Amino acid sequence: MNILVTGGAGYIGSHTCVALLEAGHSVIVADNLNNSKAETIDKIKQITNTEITFYQIDVTDETAVGAIFSQHEINGVIHFAGLKAVGESVEKPLEYYCNNLVSTMVLAKACQKYNVSRFVFSSSAAVYGDNTVPFVETMNLLPTTNPYGETKAMCERILTDIVKVNPAFSVSLLRYFNPVGAHESGLIGEAPNGIPNNLMPYVTQVAKGKLKKLKVFGNDYPTVDGTGVRDYIHVVDVAEGHVAALDHLMGGVHIYNLGTGRGTSVLELVSAFAEATEIKVPYEIADRRPGDIASCYADASKAKRELGWVAKRDIVAMCRDAWRFENKLL
Ligand code: NAD
Ligand code: UFG
């Protein structure tokens, strides 16, 4: 199939382009490079030895999006493009609502106009909020802690309402847990601007000597060792989940958690990193980070049952691949 990948120069999008190309699909990337670099497109070509078409456009721009749909026969859309920093979304709610909602609506309109019936949307475990773990797709959504989570829940709702009146429009809502790691080539991965907010890039930067010490945000949560528990999932497993979701789209809305089903605490991740790299990352216990929940992990059984997809790579592999990528960064 010929797949339009919005946000394909970004972290998860670039790995998904590789997985799509390896599965025999063709890829057109649309990205405004707001949080990524054009070089990533070359790296995707290098890994796969395949050409891809790249448009540097903003997917909230209806005219620019329409031009792509009119020039190419598109069989499906995977919509990654979006703003994703939870803290920033509290500071800049309007930017988050405009970017994440308008892009989704512009793409859905183009799909209707050009009869494209397959749509895969990047949602987030953030929509579960403070539900009880493990999170199951049937739970009521509680995304109200920040505008970012709200945009994901709203986009899910918009796409679901469209399907209600167009049952042939087929939508997969993929709720990712904590994607980490990098492609095994070390050519693509996550390179956040400035000081990382997320745990894994912080750990790799401390290990590299770019940052002094990890601050562990809280050790008094009701978890195995008091530190926050998350469902870390290798980004290549997430990418493969998209190929499986695309292959199984058959009308209607389908929601899937993309997680491993296993929770790992902050201190367990630090140990796994030491096992993978033989580097003991120095850390200190700090206050809880506002807005954090104690535990977040998936019930990943629906994706296994319906898509035949399971996450294959373990936490040590995630650390090893994240470290390899950090070492290849200039
Ligand atoms: P990323 O920032 O690396 O990739 C997003 C890409 O979209 C970037 O290349 C950016 O330049 C592009 N983009 C943003 N707005 C755009 C617009 N209006 N027009 C064109 N391009 C635009 O982020 P990522 O980690 O790869 O996340 C991809 C998607 O997955 C996002 O929608 C994010 O909210 C969602 N998600 C990510 C995580 C995570 O932990 N990384 C977790 C859950 C959900
Ligand atoms: N943590 C630290 N020190 C740090 C960074 C994080 O102790 O320097 C802890 C956090 O307190 C948390 C865990 O490590 O317990 C994971 O934190 P991350 O920031 O890596 O990830 P979050 O679970 O907070 O958030 C991520 C994405 C969100 C997404 C959410 C659910 O950043 O966009 O997963 O999918 F919404």
Side-chain angles (χ1 to χ4, degrees):
M1 288 190 277
N2 207 13
I3 308 300
L4 175 63
V5 182
T6 75
Y11 174 46
I12 306 172
S14 57
H15 290 82
T16 303
C17 287
V18 170
L20 287 166
L21 292 165
E22 285 174 346
H25 298 292
S26 302
V27 163
I28 299 160
V29 170
D31 197 305
N32 63 5
L33 303 182
N34 151 305
N35 196 35
S36 50
K37 295 193 179 115
E39 289 156 29
T40 301
I41 302 295
D42 297 329
K43 303 274 173 65
I44 298 168
K45 291 180 190 169
Q46 193 183 331
I47 292 168
T48 58
N49 204 16
T50 313
E51 273 309 308
I52 59 176
T53 309
F54 172 53
Y55 292 97
Q56 185 175 348
I57 61 147
D58 196 303
V59 290
T60 62
D61 178 342
E62 205 166 344
T63 310
V65 168
I68 296 178
F69 277 78
S70 66
Q71 280 167 47
H72 298 269
E73 196 184 317
I74 291 169
N75 308 110
V77 174
I78 306 185
H79 180 32
F80 292 102
L83 299 175
K84 63 162 184 174
V86 173
E88 187 185 60
S89 78
V90 178
E91 308 295 322
K92 300 177 177 172
L94 191 54
E95 273 187 35
Y96 272 70
Y97 285 114
C98 282
N99 195 61
N100 293 2
L101 269 63
V102 174
S103 60
T104 303
M105 291 188 282
V106 163
L107 287 161
K109 267 168 94 174
C111 284
Q112 296 212 317
K113 185 169 171 194
Y114 292 92
N115 289 318
V116 176
S117 62
R118 298 179 186 86
F119 197 100
V120 178
F121 177 68
S122 293
S123 190
S124 168
V127 299
Y128 291 113
D130 211 357
N131 268 295
T132 308
V133 285
F135 296 152
V136 189
E137 290 88 345
T138 47
M139 282 174 163
N140 287 329
L141 303 189
L142 298 171
T144 47
T145 49
N146 59 74
Y148 168 73
E150 289 287 1
T151 67
K152 293 297 176 188
M154 286 178 184
C155 287
E156 287 199 2
R157 179 67 185 272
I158 290 167
L159 292 166
T160 303
D161 284 346
I162 296 171
V163 171
K164 277 185 195 154
V165 289
N166 300 282
F169 189 49
S170 192
V171 173
S172 197
L173 306 173
L174 301 183
R175 296 178 180 161
Y176 318 147
F177 281 69
N178 287 56
V180 295
H183 189 263
E184 62 174 11
S185 64
L187 290 172
I188 54 173
E190 188 177 25
N193 294 325
I195 296 176
N197 287 313
N198 297 118
L199 181 62
M200 184 68 93
Y202 206 103
V203 165
T204 60
Q205 292 198 17
V206 172
K208 188 76 183 165
K210 291 180 180 169
L211 296 167
K212 255 183 138 172
K213 211 182 241 190
L214 171 69
K215 282 196 173 78
V216 176
F217 297 141
N219 67 348
D220 57 352
Y221 286 108
T223 61
V224 58
D225 55 20
T227 65
V229 163
R230 297 291 182 273
D231 188 340
Y232 299 97
I233 174 167
H234 198 295
V235 65
V236 175
D237 280 321
V238 175
E240 290 171 0
H242 288 73
V243 179
L246 193 67
D247 287 347
H248 284 78
L249 278 174
M250 285 166 294
V253 176
H254 306 273
I255 307 176
Y256 298 105
N257 287 338
L258 294 188
T260 65
R262 283 182 297 279
T264 302
S265 74
V266 176
L267 295 181
E268 286 171 339
L269 187 140
V270 169
S271 295
F273 190 81
E275 189 183 333
T277 66
E278 295 182 358
I279 299 173
K280 282 191 173 167
V281 168
Y283 67 86
E284 67 189 11
I285 306 297
D287 289 344
R288 287 182 178 195
R289 184 171 64 178
D292 273 356
I293 55 175
S295 294
C296 171
Y297 56 89
D299 176 328
S301 57
K302 186 179 176 199
K304 182 178 182 188
R305 205 166 51 243
E306 295 190 7
L307 304 178
W309 170 90
V310 283
K312 295 190 270 242
R313 295 155 182 90
D314 69 10
I315 190 76
V316 175
M318 297 178 216
C319 293
R320 187 193 59 221
D321 293 342
W323 180 232
R324 188 187 296 112
F325 177 69
E326 175 68 50
N327 279 304
K328 285 213 177 184
L329 282 176
L330 291 178

